[in-house]
Amino acid sequence: MHKSAFIVVVVSLLVASCNRPVSRFVSSQERVQAPSTVSFVNQSEKAETFLWDFGDGQTSGDMNPSHRFVQSGTYTVVLN
């Protein structure tokens, strides 16, 4: 039986202004075997709301979400 794996590509948008929120985060894992749950730790500065896009059609407004990736593939995760 062949095991499928996927890669979570972590993307954090950075804004260079001192008065604007800075989006930054880390993930618990960058390469895992599907299905798997990945936790994200928000390290943003000056942000009051969060919009996570997990690259698989799912989103979250949580500050520090966990997300279960059920299909193998490559996903780009973005925090706005």
Coordinates of all heavy atoms in Angstrom, one line a residue:
M1 N 0.8 -1.2 0.0 CA 0.0 0.0 0.0 C 0.9 1.2 0.0 O 1.8 1.4 0.8 CB -0.9 0.0 1.2 CG -1.7 1.2 1.4 SD -2.7 1.1 2.9 CE -4.2 1.8 2.3
H2 N 0.7 2.1 -0.9 CA 1.4 3.4 -1.0 C 0.9 4.4 -0.1 O -0.3 4.6 -0.1 CB 1.4 3.9 -2.5 CG 2.1 5.2 -2.7 ND1 3.5 5.3 -2.6 CD2 1.6 6.4 -2.9 CE1 3.8 6.5 -2.8 NE2 2.7 7.2 -3.0
K3 N 1.7 5.1 0.7 CA 1.3 6.1 1.6 C 1.4 7.5 1.0 O 2.5 7.7 0.4 CB 2.0 6.0 2.9 CG 1.8 4.8 3.7 CD 2.5 4.8 5.0 CE 2.2 3.5 5.8 NZ 2.9 3.5 7.1
S4 N 0.4 8.3 1.0 CA 0.5 9.6 0.5 C 0.9 10.6 1.5 O 0.6 10.5 2.7 CB -0.9 10.1 -0.1 OG -1.3 9.2 -1.1
A5 N 1.6 11.6 1.1 CA 2.1 12.7 2.0 C 1.7 14.0 1.4 O 1.6 14.1 0.2 CB 3.6 12.6 2.3
F6 N 1.7 15.0 2.2 CA 1.5 16.4 1.7 C 2.4 17.3 2.4 O 2.9 17.0 3.4 CB 0.0 16.8 1.8 CG -0.5 17.1 3.2 CD1 -0.3 18.3 3.8 CD2 -1.1 16.1 3.9 CE1 -0.8 18.5 5.0 CE2 -1.6 16.3 5.2 CZ -1.4 17.6 5.7
I7 N 2.6 18.5 1.7 CA 3.4 19.5 2.3 C 2.6 20.7 2.6 O 1.8 21.1 1.7 CB 4.5 19.9 1.3 CG1 5.4 18.6 1.0 CG2 5.4 21.0 1.8 CD1 6.4 18.9 -0.2
V8 N 2.7 21.3 3.8 CA 2.1 22.5 4.1 C 3.1 23.6 3.9 O 4.2 23.6 4.5 CB 1.6 22.6 5.6 CG1 1.0 23.9 5.9 CG2 0.6 21.5 5.8
V9 N 2.9 24.5 2.9 CA 3.8 25.6 2.7 C 3.3 26.8 3.5 O 2.1 27.3 3.3 CB 3.8 25.9 1.2 CG1 4.7 27.1 0.9 CG2 4.2 24.7 0.4
V10 N 4.1 27.3 4.4 CA 3.7 28.4 5.3 C 4.1 29.7 4.6 O 5.2 29.9 4.3 CB 4.4 28.2 6.6 CG1 4.0 29.3 7.6 CG2 4.0 26.9 7.2
V11 N 3.1 30.6 4.5 CA 3.3 31.9 3.9 C 2.8 32.9 4.9 O 1.6 32.8 5.4 CB 2.5 32.0 2.6 CG1 2.6 33.5 2.1 CG2 3.0 31.0 1.6
S12 N 3.6 33.8 5.2 CA 3.1 34.9 6.1 C 3.4 36.2 5.4 O 4.5 36.5 5.0 CB 4.0 34.8 7.4 OG 3.6 35.8 8.3
L13 N 2.3 37.0 5.3 CA 2.4 38.3 4.7 C 3.0 39.4 5.7 O 2.4 39.5 6.7 CB 1.1 38.8 4.1 CG 0.4 37.8 3.2 CD1 -1.0 38.3 2.8 CD2 1.3 37.7 1.9
L14 N 4.0 40.0 5.3 CA 4.6 41.0 6.2 C 4.4 42.4 5.7 O 4.5 42.7 4.5 CB 6.1 40.8 6.3 CG 6.6 39.5 6.9 CD1 8.1 39.3 6.9 CD2 6.0 39.3 8.3
V15 N 4.0 43.3 6.6 CA 3.8 44.7 6.2 C 4.8 45.5 6.9 O 5.0 45.4 8.1 CB 2.3 45.2 6.6 CG1 2.1 46.6 6.3 CG2 1.3 44.3 6.0
A16 N 5.5 46.4 6.2 CA 6.7 47.1 6.8 C 6.4 48.3 7.6 O 7.2 48.9 8.2 CB 7.6 47.4 5.6
S17 N 5.1 48.7 7.6 CA 4.8 50.0 8.3 C 4.7 49.7 9.8 O 4.3 48.7 10.3 CB 3.4 50.5 7.9 OG 3.0 51.6 8.6
C18 N 5.2 50.7 10.6 CA 5.1 50.6 12.1 C 3.7 50.7 12.6 O 3.5 50.2 13.7 CB 6.0 51.7 12.7 SG 7.7 51.6 12.3
N19 N 2.8 51.3 12.0 CA 1.5 51.5 12.5 C 0.5 50.4 12.0 O -0.6 50.4 12.5 CB 0.9 52.9 12.0 CG 1.7 54.0 12.7 OD1 2.2 53.9 13.8 ND2 1.9 55.1 11.9
R20 N 0.9 49.6 11.2 CA 0.0 48.5 10.6 C 0.3 47.2 11.3 O 1.4 46.9 11.7 CB 0.2 48.4 9.1 CG -0.2 49.6 8.4 CD 0.0 49.4 6.9 NE -0.7 50.5 6.2 CZ -1.7 50.2 5.3 NH1 -2.1 49.0 5.1 NH2 -2.2 51.2 4.7
P21 N -0.7 46.3 11.3 CA -0.5 45.0 11.8 C 0.5 44.2 10.9 O 0.6 44.5 9.7 CB -1.9 44.3 11.7 CG -2.9 45.4 11.6 CD -2.1 46.6 10.9
V22 N 1.3 43.4 11.6 CA 2.3 42.6 10.9 C 1.8 41.1 11.1 O 1.7 40.6 12.2 CB 3.7 42.7 11.5 CG1 4.7 41.8 10.8 CG2 4.1 44.2 11.3
S23 N 1.6 40.4 10.0 CA 1.1 39.0 10.0 C 2.3 38.1 10.0 O 3.2 38.2 9.1 CB 0.3 38.8 8.7 OG -0.1 37.5 8.6
R24 N 2.3 37.2 11.0 CA 3.5 36.3 11.1 C 2.9 35.1 11.9 O 2.2 35.2 12.9 CB 4.6 36.9 11.9 CG 5.9 36.2 11.9 CD 7.0 36.9 12.6 NE 7.2 38.3 12.0 CZ 7.2 39.4 12.8 NH1 7.1 39.3 14.1 NH2 7.4 40.6 12.2
F25 N 3.4 33.9 11.5 CA 3.0 32.7 12.2 C 3.9 31.5 12.0 O 4.7 31.6 11.0 CB 1.5 32.2 11.9 CG 1.4 31.8 10.5 CD1 1.4 30.4 10.1 CD2 1.1 32.7 9.5 CE1 1.3 30.0 8.8 CE2 0.9 32.3 8.1 CZ 1.0 30.9 7.8
V26 N 3.9 30.5 12.8 CA 4.6 29.3 12.6 C 3.6 28.1 12.7 O 2.5 28.2 13.3 CB 5.7 29.1 13.7 CG1 6.8 30.2 13.5 CG2 5.2 29.1 15.1
S27 N 4.0 27.0 12.1 CA 3.2 25.8 12.2 C 3.9 24.7 13.0 O 5.1 24.7 13.1 CB 2.8 25.3 10.8 OG 4.0 24.9 10.1
S28 N 3.1 23.7 13.5 CA 3.7 22.6 14.3 C 4.4 21.7 13.4 O 5.3 21.0 13.9 CB 2.6 21.9 15.1 OG 1.6 21.4 14.2
Q29 N 4.0 21.6 12.1 CA 4.7 20.7 11.2 C 4.6 21.3 9.8 O 3.7 22.0 9.5 CB 3.9 19.4 11.1 CG 3.8 18.7 12.5 CD 2.7 17.6 12.4 OE1 1.7 17.7 11.8 NE2 3.1 16.5 13.1
E30 N 5.6 21.0 9.0 CA 5.6 21.5 7.6 C 5.4 20.3 6.6 O 5.0 20.6 5.5 CB 7.0 22.2 7.3 CG 7.1 23.5 8.0 CD 8.3 24.3 7.6 OE1 8.8 24.1 6.5 OE2 8.7 25.2 8.3
R31 N 5.7 19.1 7.0 CA 5.5 18.0 6.1 C 4.9 16.9 7.0 O 5.6 16.4 7.9 CB 6.8 17.6 5.5 CG 6.7 16.6 4.5 CD 8.0 16.2 3.8 NE 7.8 15.4 2.7 CZ 8.0 15.7 1.4 NH1 8.5 16.9 1.2 NH2 7.8 14.8 0.5
V32 N 3.7 16.5 6.6 CA 3.0 15.4 7.3 C 2.3 14.5 6.4 O 2.2 14.8 5.2 CB 2.0 16.0 8.4 CG1 2.7 16.7 9.4 CG2 1.0 16.8 7.7
Q33 N 1.9 13.3 6.9 CA 1.2 12.4 6.0 C -0.3 12.6 6.2 O -0.8 12.7 7.3 CB 1.5 11.0 6.4 CG 0.9 9.9 5.6 CD 1.4 8.6 5.9 OE1 2.6 8.4 6.2 NE2 0.6 7.6 5.7
A34 N -1.1 12.7 5.1 CA -2.5 12.9 5.2 C -3.2 11.6 5.6 O -2.8 10.5 5.2 CB -3.0 13.4 3.8
P35 N -4.3 11.7 6.3 CA -4.8 12.9 7.0 C -4.1 13.2 8.2 O -3.6 12.4 8.9 CB -6.3 12.5 7.3 CG -6.2 11.0 7.5 CD -5.1 10.5 6.6
S36 N -4.0 14.5 8.5 CA -3.2 15.0 9.7 C -3.7 16.4 10.1 O -4.1 17.2 9.3 CB -1.7 15.0 9.4 OG -1.0 15.2 10.6
T37 N -3.6 16.7 11.4 CA -3.9 18.0 11.9 C -2.7 18.8 12.2 O -1.7 18.2 12.8 CB -4.7 17.8 13.2 OG1 -5.9 17.1 13.0 CG2 -5.1 19.2 13.8
V38 N -2.7 20.0 11.7 CA -1.5 20.9 11.9 C -2.0 22.1 12.8 O -3.0 22.6 12.5 CB -1.0 21.4 10.6 CG1 0.2 22.4 10.8 CG2 -0.6 20.2 9.7
S39 N -1.2 22.4 13.8 CA -1.5 23.6 14.6 C -0.7 24.8 14.2 O 0.5 24.6 13.8 CB -1.1 23.3 16.1 OG -1.9 22.2 16.6
F40 N -1.3 25.9 14.3 CA -0.7 27.2 13.8 C -0.6 28.1 15.0 O -1.6 28.3 15.7 CB -1.4 27.8 12.7 CG -1.5 27.0 11.5 CD1 -2.5 26.1 11.3 CD2 -0.4 27.0 10.5 CE1 -2.5 25.2 10.1 CE2 -0.4 26.2 9.4 CZ -1.5 25.3 9.2
V41 N 0.6 28.7 15.3 CA 0.8 29.7 16.3 C 1.0 31.0 15.7 O 1.9 31.3 15.0 CB 2.0 29.3 17.2 CG1 2.2 30.3 18.3 CG2 1.8 27.9 17.8
N42 N 0.0 31.9 16.1 CA 0.0 33.3 15.5 C 1.0 34.1 16.3 O 1.0 34.2 17.5 CB -1.4 33.8 15.8 CG -1.6 35.2 15.1 OD1 -0.7 35.9 14.9 ND2 -2.9 35.5 14.8
Q43 N 1.9 34.8 15.5 CA 2.9 35.7 16.1 C 2.8 37.1 15.6 O 3.7 37.8 15.5 CB 4.3 35.1 15.8 CG 4.6 33.8 16.4 CD 6.0 33.2 16.1 OE1 6.6 33.6 15.1 NE2 6.4 32.3 17.0
S44 N 1.6 37.4 15.1 CA 1.3 38.7 14.5 C 1.4 39.8 15.6 O 1.3 39.6 16.7 CB -0.1 38.7 13.9 OG -0.3 37.8 12.9
E45 N 1.7 41.0 15.0 CA 1.8 42.2 15.9 C 0.7 43.2 15.5 O 0.5 43.4 14.3 CB 3.2 42.8 15.7 CG 4.3 41.9 16.1 CD 5.7 42.5 15.8 OE1 5.8 43.7 15.6 OE2 6.7 41.7 15.7
K46 N 0.1 43.8 16.5 CA -0.9 44.8 16.3 C -2.1 44.4 15.6 O -2.8 45.2 15.0 CB -0.3 46.0 15.6 CG 0.9 46.6 16.4 CD 1.5 47.8 15.7 CE 2.7 48.3 16.5 NZ 3.3 49.4 15.8
A47 N -2.4 43.1 15.5 CA -3.6 42.6 14.8 C -4.7 42.4 15.8 O -4.5 41.9 16.9 CB -3.3 41.3 14.1
E48 N -6.0 42.7 15.4 CA -7.1 42.4 16.3 C -8.0 41.4 15.8 O -8.8 40.7 16.5 CB -7.9 43.7 16.5 CG -7.1 44.8 17.2 CD -7.8 46.1 17.3 OE1 -9.0 46.1 17.1 OE2 -7.2 47.1 17.7
T49 N -8.0 41.1 14.5 CA -8.8 40.1 13.8 C -7.9 39.2 12.9 O -6.8 39.7 12.5 CB -10.0 40.6 13.0 OG1 -9.4 41.5 12.0 CG2 -10.9 41.4 13.9
F50 N -8.3 38.0 12.7 CA -7.4 37.1 11.9 C -8.3 36.4 10.9 O -9.4 36.0 11.2 CB -6.8 36.1 12.9 CG -6.1 36.8 14.0 CD1 -6.8 36.9 15.2 CD2 -4.9 37.4 13.9 CE1 -6.1 37.5 16.3 CE2 -4.3 38.0 14.9 CZ -4.9 38.1 16.2
L51 N -7.7 36.2 9.7 CA -8.4 35.4 8.7 C -7.4 34.4 8.1 O -6.4 34.9 7.4 CB -9.0 36.3 7.6 CG -9.6 35.5 6.4 CD1 -10.7 34.5 6.9 CD2 -10.1 36.4 5.3
W52 N -7.5 33.2 8.4 CA -6.6 32.1 8.0 C -7.3 31.5 6.7 O -8.4 31.2 6.7 CB -6.5 31.0 9.0 CG -5.8 31.5 10.3 CD1 -6.4 32.1 11.3 CD2 -4.4 31.3 10.6 NE1 -5.4 32.3 12.3 CE2 -4.2 31.9 11.9 CE3 -3.3 30.8 9.9 CZ2 -3.0 31.9 12.5 CZ3 -2.1 30.8 10.5 CH2 -1.9 31.3 11.8
D53 N -6.4 31.3 5.7 CA -6.8 30.5 4.5 C -5.9 29.3 4.4 O -4.7 29.5 4.3 CB -6.7 31.4 3.3 CG -7.2 30.7 2.0 OD1 -7.2 29.4 2.0 OD2 -7.4 31.4 1.0
F54 N -6.5 28.1 4.6 CA -5.6 26.9 4.6 C -5.3 26.3 3.3 O -4.6 25.3 3.2 CB -6.3 25.9 5.5 CG -6.5 26.3 6.9 CD1 -7.8 26.6 7.4 CD2 -5.4 26.5 7.8 CE1 -7.9 27.1 8.7 CE2 -5.6 27.0 9.1 CZ -6.8 27.2 9.5
G55 N -5.8 27.0 2.2 CA -5.4 26.5 0.9 C -6.2 25.3 0.3 O -5.9 24.9 -0.8
D56 N -7.1 24.9 1.1 CA -8.0 23.7 0.7 C -9.4 24.1 0.7 O -10.3 23.2 0.7 CB -7.7 22.5 1.6 CG -8.1 22.8 3.1 OD1 -8.5 23.9 3.4 OD2 -8.0 21.8 3.9
G57 N -9.7 25.4 0.7 CA -11.1 25.8 0.7 C -11.7 26.1 2.0 O -12.8 26.6 2.2
Q58 N -10.9 25.9 3.1 CA -11.3 26.1 4.4 C -10.6 27.3 5.0 O -9.5 27.6 4.7 CB -11.0 24.9 5.3 CG -11.7 23.6 4.9 CD -13.2 23.7 5.0 OE1 -13.7 24.1 6.0 NE2 -13.8 23.4 3.9
T59 N -11.3 28.1 5.9 CA -10.8 29.2 6.5 C -11.1 29.2 8.0 O -11.9 28.4 8.5 CB -11.4 30.5 5.9 OG1 -12.8 30.5 6.1 CG2 -11.1 30.6 4.4
S60 N -10.5 30.1 8.8 CA -10.7 30.2 10.2 C -10.5 31.7 10.6 O -9.7 32.4 10.1 CB -9.8 29.3 11.0 OG -9.9 29.5 12.4
G61 N -11.2 32.1 11.6 CA -11.0 33.4 12.3 C -10.4 33.3 13.6 O -10.2 34.3 14.3
D62 N -10.0 32.1 14.0 CA -9.3 31.8 15.3 C -8.0 32.5 15.4 O -7.3 32.6 14.3 CB -9.2 30.3 15.6 CG -10.5 29.7 15.8 OD1 -11.6 30.3 16.0 OD2 -10.6 28.4 15.7
M63 N -7.5 32.8 16.5 CA -6.2 33.4 16.7 C -5.1 32.4 16.5 O -4.1 32.6 15.8 CB -6.0 34.0 18.1 CG -4.7 34.7 18.3 SD -4.7 35.5 20.0 CE -3.2 36.3 19.9
N64 N -5.2 31.2 17.0 CA -4.3 30.1 16.9 C -5.0 28.8 16.5 O -5.2 28.0 17.4 CB -3.5 29.9 18.3 CG -2.7 31.1 18.6 OD1 -1.8 31.5 17.9 ND2 -3.0 31.7 19.7
P65 N -5.3 28.7 15.3 CA -6.1 27.5 14.9 C -5.3 26.2 14.7 O -4.1 26.2 14.5 CB -6.7 27.9 13.5 CG -5.6 28.8 13.0 CD -5.1 29.5 14.1
S66 N -6.1 25.1 14.7 CA -5.6 23.8 14.2 C -6.4 23.5 13.0 O -7.6 23.8 13.0 CB -5.7 22.8 15.3 OG -4.8 23.0 16.4
H67 N -5.8 22.8 12.0 CA -6.6 22.5 10.9 C -6.3 21.0 10.4 O -5.1 20.7 10.4 CB -6.3 23.4 9.7 CG -7.1 23.1 8.5 ND1 -8.5 23.3 8.4 CD2 -6.7 22.7 7.3 CE1 -8.9 23.0 7.2 NE2 -7.8 22.6 6.5
R68 N -7.3 20.3 10.1 CA -7.1 18.9 9.6 C -7.1 18.9 8.1 O -8.0 19.2 7.4 CB -8.1 18.0 10.2 CG -7.9 16.5 9.8 CD -8.8 15.6 10.7 NE -8.6 14.2 10.3 CZ -7.6 13.5 10.8 NH1 -6.7 14.0 11.6 NH2 -7.6 12.2 10.5
F69 N -5.9 18.5 7.5 CA -5.8 18.3 6.1 C -6.1 16.8 5.8 O -5.5 15.9 6.3 CB -4.4 18.6 5.6 CG -4.1 20.1 5.8 CD1 -3.5 20.6 7.0 CD2 -4.3 21.0 4.8 CE1 -3.2 21.9 7.1 CE2 -4.0 22.3 4.9 CZ -3.5 22.8 6.1
V70 N -7.1 16.6 5.0 CA -7.6 15.2 4.7 C -7.1 14.6 3.4 O -7.1 13.4 3.3 CB -9.1 15.1 4.8 CG1 -9.6 15.4 6.3 CG2 -9.8 16.0 3.8
Q71 N -6.7 15.5 2.5 CA -6.3 15.0 1.2 C -4.8 15.3 1.0 O -4.2 16.2 1.6 CB -7.0 15.8 0.1 CG -8.5 15.6 0.0 CD -8.9 14.3 -0.5 OE1 -8.2 13.7 -1.3 NE2 -10.0 13.7 0.0
S72 N -4.1 14.4 0.3 CA -2.7 14.6 0.1 C -2.6 15.8 -1.0 O -3.5 16.0 -1.8 CB -2.0 13.4 -0.4 OG -2.6 12.9 -1.6
G73 N -1.5 16.5 -0.9 CA -1.3 17.6 -1.9 C -0.4 18.7 -1.2 O 0.1 18.5 -0.1
T74 N -0.2 19.8 -1.9 CA 0.6 20.9 -1.4 C -0.4 22.0 -1.1 O -1.2 22.4 -2.0 CB 1.6 21.3 -2.5 OG1 2.5 20.2 -2.7 CG2 2.4 22.5 -1.9
Y75 N -0.3 22.6 0.1 CA -1.2 23.7 0.5 C -0.4 24.9 0.9 O 0.6 24.8 1.6 CB -2.0 23.2 1.7 CG -2.9 22.0 1.3 CD1 -2.4 20.7 1.6 CD2 -4.1 22.1 0.8 CE1 -3.2 19.6 1.3 CE2 -4.9 21.0 0.4 CZ -4.4 19.8 0.7 OH -5.2 18.6 0.4
T76 N -0.9 26.0 0.5 CA -0.3 27.3 0.9 C -1.2 27.9 1.9 O -2.4 28.2 1.6 CB -0.1 28.3 -0.3 OG1 0.7 27.6 -1.3 CG2 0.5 29.6 0.1
V77 N -0.7 28.1 3.1 CA -1.5 28.6 4.2 C -1.1 30.1 4.4 O 0.0 30.5 4.4 CB -1.2 27.9 5.5 CG1 -2.0 28.5 6.7 CG2 -1.5 26.4 5.4
V78 N -2.2 31.0 4.4 CA -2.0 32.4 4.5 C -2.8 33.0 5.6 O -3.9 32.6 5.9 CB -2.5 33.1 3.1 CG1 -2.3 34.6 3.2 CG2 -1.7 32.5 2.0
L79 N -2.2 33.9 6.4 CA -2.8 34.6 7.5 C -2.9 36.1 7.1 O -1.9 36.7 6.8 CB -2.0 34.5 8.8 CG -2.5 35.4 9.9 CD1 -3.9 35.1 10.3 CD2 -1.5 35.2 11.1
N80 N -4.1 36.6 7.0 CA -4.4 38.0 6.7 C -4.9 38.7 7.9 O -5.6 38.2 8.7 CB -5.4 38.2 5.5 CG -4.8 37.7 4.2 OD1 -3.7 38.1 3.8 ND2 -5.6 36.9 3.5

